[in-house]
Amino acid sequence: MGRTIIITGAGSGIGKACVEAFLQAGWRVGLIGRRAEPLEAAAAGHDGALVLPCDVSDEGAVDAAFDAVSATWGRLDALFNNAGVGVFGALIDDLAVADWRRCVDVNLTGSFICARAAFARMRRQDPQGGRIINNGSISAHVPRWGSAPYTATKHAITGLTRSISLDGRPFNIACGQIDIGNASTEIVASLRKQAQASGAEVEPVMDVAHVASSVLHMAGLPLDANVQFMTVMATKMPYIGRG
């Protein structure tokens, strides 16, 4: 039997690409996302896929999804904490507090709830241990203009990653973070359209498959090795000099 991973935000973009890569590599994959239809499309034709529609900010729904994986496959080897939403293009005083709260609920609280659920099961299973990989983003280091909610959540993900790494050591639970820049997804396509409309620079992108292969590498390491932080990005994107 292959190893088992839960991927959040699995119905589109980076999450969907990772689902495909892990299934092809022989992993059993639990797909978490808000809408069942795109999850079912991503899982179609794969016996090793388990569709788990839920909102990552709802702890009861998350626990039920993780319980379903444990009941079906007996253990959880990895979590890719990938679900997220973007709030871009507005100065802080033009942002609605509701948009801030939605971004924090999904990107940060949702990541905490899913990591909490994974950690609990990894600590109690036999053999003990597992791996949690958090999706940080380039914005965990250098912000875009007009992105206060998104940037704040991604900086916080770095703190969450470091804390889980320390908490997990006695229990053979590793935690790492992948910071992704300009993978070709729906969110990045929207940002490129905004740039075109405003006459701003249209940034280079990379194939999302490069993200999937990077996450697969991180997840596939033995638990005595860890990629603590990885940055994978379009080579020519304005990252090093951004800000």
Side-chain angles (χ1 to χ4, degrees), residues 78-149:
L79 163 68
F80 180 35
N81 240 339
N82 168 69
V85 296
V87 178
F88 302 111
L91 295 173
I92 189 167
D93 60 331
D94 290 328
L95 284 164
V97 174
D99 288 336
W100 166 273
R101 287 183 171 143
R102 178 176 63 93
C103 192
V104 171
D105 280 350
V106 176
N107 295 8
L108 182 56
T109 304
S111 293
F112 164 77
I113 289 171
C114 290
R116 177 178 177 271
F119 195 103
R121 286 151 184 81
M122 291 170 179
R123 182 155 70 101
R124 292 170 176 82
Q125 64 193 8
D126 185 20
Q128 191 179 60
R131 188 182 307 276
I132 296 168
I133 301 170
N134 294 323
N135 184 343
S137 169
I138 296 295
S139 291
H141 303 275
V142 182
R144 293 180 183 273
W145 170 87
S147 66

Side-chain angles (χ1 to χ4, degrees), residues 200-224:
E201 178 186 1
V202 179
E203 298 182 8
V205 297
M206 64 175 176
D207 194 314
V208 71
H210 301 311
V211 178
S213 63
S214 299
V215 177
L216 184 62
H217 168 70
M218 293 173 74
L221 290 171
L223 289 175
D224 59 358

Side-chain angles (χ1 to χ4, degrees), residues 2-118:
R3 285 178 288 180
T4 300
I5 186 170
I6 289 176
I7 297 174
T8 70
S12 63
I14 289 167
K16 182 179 179 182
C18 288
V19 167
E20 294 170 354
F22 276 85
L23 287 170
Q24 290 172 6
W27 286 65
R28 295 168 295 177
V29 181
L31 292 77
I32 285 182
R34 285 175 296 173
R35 296 179 297 125
E37 186 177 346
L39 299 179
E40 289 165 355
H46 296 283
D47 294 335
L50 185 62
V51 172
L52 304 163
C54 78
D55 182 341
V56 295
S57 66
D58 180 338
E59 60 266 38
V62 167
D63 278 335
F66 277 70
D67 284 344
V69 168
S70 297
T72 303
W73 292 320
R75 71 176 285 111
L76 176 64
D77 295 296
L79 163 68
F80 180 35
N81 240 339
N82 168 69
V85 296
V87 178
F88 302 111
L91 295 173
I92 189 167
D93 60 331
D94 290 328
L95 284 164
V97 174
D99 288 336
W100 166 273
R101 287 183 171 143
R102 178 176 63 93
C103 192
V104 171
D105 280 350
V106 176
N107 295 8
L108 182 56
T109 304
S111 293
F112 164 77
I113 289 171
C114 290
R116 177 178 177 271

Side-chain angles (χ1 to χ4, degrees), residues 155-171:
H155 274 66
I157 288 293
T158 300
L160 182 65
T161 298
R162 293 180 184 275
S163 294
I164 295 170
S165 295
L166 291 176
D167 288 353
R169 286 179 176 178
F171 311 109

